[in-house]
Amino acid sequence: MSVSVLDVIRFLGGVSGLLQVASVLGLVLLLLKAAQLYLHRQWLLRAVQEFPSPPSHWLFGHMHELQNGQELQELQKRAEKYPCASPRWLWGSRVSLVVYDPDYMKVILGRSDPKSDGSYRFMAPWIGYGLLLLNGQTWFQHRRMLTPAFHYDILKPYVGLMADSVQVMLGKWEELLSQNSSLEIFGHISLMTLDTLMKCAFSYQGNKQADRLTPEGRWNHRACQLAHQHTDRVIKLRKAQLQEEGNLEKVRSKRHLDFLDILLFAQMENKSSFSDKDLRAEVDTFMFEGHDTTASGISWILYALATHPEHQQKCREEIQSLLGDGASITWGHLEQMPYTTMCIKEALRLYPPVPGVGRELSKPITFPDGRSLPKGFLVLLSFYALHHNPKVWPNPEVFDPSRFAPDSSRHSHAFLPFSGGSRNCIGKQFAMNEMKVAVALTLLHFELAPDPFRLPVPTPKIVLMSKNGIHLHLRKLL
Ligand code: HEM
């Protein structure tokens, strides 16, 4: 079969015709998309017109605020300059209202808007759809089911387990101090809080503080798989154990129920609404929420005390008179350290471990000052900016524990390290206990001072971290 020159020309003509049609179609689609983006941007602009904000680029918005490593400072400037809340543009067609006023917080946290997809979706492969990420009716069911896991009867025996983990860490610090008097504490504290959580929530007796997982490694895909395998193993073992032990009452009479028991018994009762996947998501959620947050909290509290020796000493004296050498710290002691508790709260104000949370408005909202936003709008509740807002906290940068003195008063939504409303932190009491135990035992054993050459630089990841770690000088006391 022969192909003539004419055939080739005809064929090419056909191809170029097709290409022309495709390019026209492409152009039309592009124009439609551009028109859609333009209209959406106009809608957003109208929605936020009552809320002034720092000048923004039409395309890059306020991206520079996030990229120059000054995000926290920029938030603080907003709180100083723009009352209650201000829009933050991410690219030209995406905006969220950053909120840092107690009345605004109260209105939003009093509703039941879902978590904003953009701020949370990236966590799903890691922790699954557990309590933190769920919304609506399923969230409500799980929350009701898990609440008994935080009853004080369950939390009481955890104090001893927490103290054991802290003592292991302090022992390690003592050894390390013979080589160097300055120590990066964040990494050690993360291992310690993971250890504590594994012991309390899953009665896991391994020693997480001797395992080696690098902070970088924890966040990669392999680590995700490893964590899931680990979770599956823990669940499988316990299921087998429970089958041997019998029903809830029998188990309860033999040993204290932990978080995993409560989940598994709940699953037995509600098999249809609570799958194995749901169970794993809850376990992973607790592993994440229950240790990174407290690690951040404890690290920043110790840093705050290191930089304020007079308050540090006052706490130490309070703890010494309560505990002596601290060999046995119990639940009963935790309510008897008022000054230390004030310092812990003041540090949580200055360095909130969860710097902010996001919501997507499921219906329009009107704030107490009459300004409003339409349904579908994104809001970022910045606890960091709230806690550093000079209209809420005079001289916000000053570490002043007396703000939390027993006779002090403040707006119900001025201090929100654990958020508020129905979606507040379910682990608040657990976290406060762990922070008290860790701070009390550390102060009994060591005097803390900052390392002036390596001051921490707070940076908002999912939890508040320091770009360069938290380095402290420690001096052995006991
Ligand atoms: C200092 C330590 C902690 C801080 C500052 C903290 C803070 C918070 C905040 C701000 C939220 C709200 C998140 C949002 O709305 O997106 C939250 C939720 C949550 N926290 Fe904590 N948390 C801490 C410790 C813990 C611990 C120890 C556990 C578990 C053992 C825990 C479990 C959870 C869970 C499961 C949720 C989701 C609750 C729900 O949506 O119903 N947290 N936490």
Side-chain angles (χ1 to χ4, degrees):
M1 196 177 84
S2 70
V3 178
S4 71
V5 176
L6 214 60
D7 288 339
V8 173
I9 293 174
R10 263 201 219 109
F11 173 73
L12 286 178
V15 170
S16 92
L18 268 178
L19 279 177
Q20 273 177 9
V21 173
S23 2
V24 170
L25 262 177
L27 199 67
V28 170
L29 282 178
L30 209 68
L31 284 173
L32 279 175
K33 188 73 202 161
Q36 191 192 21
L37 283 177
Y38 175 78
L39 289 175
H40 184 60
R41 180 173 160 82
Q42 293 305 310
W43 180 79
L44 292 174
L45 280 168
R46 271 197 305 279
V48 294
Q49 65 189 357
E50 294 177 294
F51 297 91
S53 72
S56 72
H57 187 275
W58 69 271
L59 179 61
F60 301 117
H62 295 110
M63 285 299 271
H64 59 279
E65 289 186 9
L66 307 183
Q67 285 163 348
N68 61 9
Q70 299 284 307
E71 189 180 343
L72 295 173
Q73 288 83 340
E74 298 288 351
L75 280 169
Q76 206 166 327
K77 278 195 224 154
R78 281 171 177 263
E80 281 160 17
K81 199 158 171 205
Y82 304 98
C84 307
S86 59
R88 185 162 77 182
W89 289 85
L90 300 179
W91 308 109
S93 60
R94 218 176 130 75
V95 61
S96 56
L97 188 78
V98 185
V99 172
Y100 33 76
D101 172 79
D103 285 325
Y104 271 49
M105 294 275 178
K106 193 171 174 185
V107 174
I108 299 168
L109 291 172
R111 301 173 18 133
S112 52
D113 301 299
K115 308 256 168 120
S116 56
D117 225 21
S119 353
Y120 290 86
R121 200 180 30 203
F122 72 97
M123 290 163 91
W126 179 253
I127 60 172
Y129 282 88
L131 212 47
L132 185 69
L133 301 191
L134 283 172
N135 286 307
Q137 195 55 26
T138 324
W139 165 77
F140 183 74
Q141 278 170 357
H142 286 213
R143 176 93 186 199
R144 209 175 40 187
M145 207 164 64
L146 292 173
T147 299
F150 291 90
H151 189 273
Y152 75 88
D153 274 345
I154 304 271
L155 297 184
K156 250 182 186 175
Y158 289 174
V159 175
L161 301 174
M162 288 167 175
D164 291 346
S165 299
V166 175
Q167 297 286 15
V168 171
M169 180 184 76
L170 298 178
K172 270 202 313 195
W173 285 6
E174 208 173 304
E175 278 172 32
L176 290 167
L177 283 190
S178 54
Q179 299 148 26
N180 193 343
S181 75
S182 166
L183 200 72
E184 196 296 301
I185 60 166
F186 209 117
H188 291 273
I189 294 178
S190 289
L191 279 181
M192 182 275 286
T193 54
L194 180 59
D195 194 23
T196 305
L197 189 86
M198 294 300 293
K199 282 185 187 144
C200 296
F202 310 119
S203 305
Y204 178 88
Q205 292 308 326
N207 184 0
K208 283 282 135 210
Q209 298 195 65
D211 296 350
R212 304 251 173 267
L213 276 185
T214 65
E216 303 78 36
R218 283 192 292 149
W219 288 104
N220 68 26
H221 179 65
R222 178 81 188 116
C224 225
Q225 282 179 329
L226 274 177
H228 288 163
Q229 282 166 11
H230 178 71
T231 315
D232 285 340
R233 205 171 47 240
V234 173
I235 295 173
K236 216 167 139 194
L237 278 174
R238 180 63 60 84
K239 269 190 177 168
Q241 188 187 345
L242 283 185
Q243 259 163 14
E244 273 175 29
E245 285 180 316
N247 66 24
L248 177 64
E249 289 318 314
K250 262 196 192 155
V251 178
R252 201 198 296 274
S253 64
K254 266 196 278 179
R255 59 179 172 83
H256 83 259
L257 290 181
D258 66 12
F259 167 73
L260 191 54
D261 293 318
I262 288 173
L263 272 178
L264 284 168
F265 281 119
Q267 193 194 28
M268 287 173 205
E269 282 167 23
N270 307 276
K271 230 181 173 91
S272 55
S273 60
F274 200 64
S275 67
D276 277 358
K277 201 166 151 221
D278 292 337
L279 194 113
R280 190 173 83 181
E282 290 304 350
V283 171
D284 286 338
T285 296
F286 273 69
M287 287 221 265
F288 157 70
E289 269 293 318
H291 98 275
D292 269 353
T293 46
T294 41
S296 166
I298 294 167
S299 305
W300 286 109
I301 293 164
L302 294 183
Y303 173 70
L305 290 173
T307 45
H308 296 88
E310 66 290 10
H311 297 299
Q312 182 186 150
Q313 187 52 25
K314 246 180 122 171
C315 291
R316 184 173 294 111
E317 282 162 16
E318 178 179 77
I319 293 158
Q320 278 168 340
S321 69
L322 182 69
L323 297 179
D325 65 359
S328 67
I329 181 167
T330 60
W331 171 270
H333 291 127
L334 303 183
E335 289 307 309
Q336 296 176 53
M337 36 178 92
Y339 198 75
T340 309
T341 308
M342 283 159 58
C343 289
I344 290 177
K345 289 186 177 167
E346 177 63 346
L348 291 175
R349 180 189 69 79
L350 273 175
Y351 305 105
V354 176
V357 300
R359 295 288 186 269
E360 183 174 336
L361 299 181
S362 58
K363 52 183 196 275
I365 192 168
T366 302
F367 295 109
D369 59 8
R371 294 189 287 181
S372 59
L373 283 178
K375 173 184 168 178
F377 215 86
L378 301 176
V379 287
L380 171 73
L381 308 183
S382 174
F383 302 137
Y384 184 89
L386 171 76
H387 292 178
H388 290 252
N389 184 343
K391 289 169 203 101
V392 183
W393 298 98
N395 302 317
E397 297 316 303
V398 176
F399 181 83
D400 176 7
S402 73
R403 299 180 203 266
F404 293 95
D407 56 354
S408 62
S409 66
R410 64 186 157 272
H411 190 295
S412 62
H413 286 63
F415 177 61
L416 294 174
F418 297 101
S419 188
S422 58
R423 295 216 67 162
N424 71 346
C425 176
I426 198 171
K428 174 180 170 180
Q429 192 60 48
F430 179 106
M432 281 305 290
N433 292 351
E434 187 175 7
M435 291 188 290
K436 285 182 189 178
V437 171
V439 170
L441 297 183
T442 306
L443 293 186
L444 279 184
H445 287 82
F446 293 102
E447 190 175 80
L448 315 172
D451 180 341
F453 300 106
R454 285 182 287 191
L455 293 178
V457 181
T459 177
K461 304 288 178 195
I462 306 176
V463 298
L464 190 71
M465 314 272 288
S466 163
K467 251 187 210 149
N468 49 343
I470 298 187
H471 296 265
L472 295 186
H473 281 294
L474 307 184
R475 193 172 68 83
K476 179 95 184 76
L477 293 173
L478 277 178

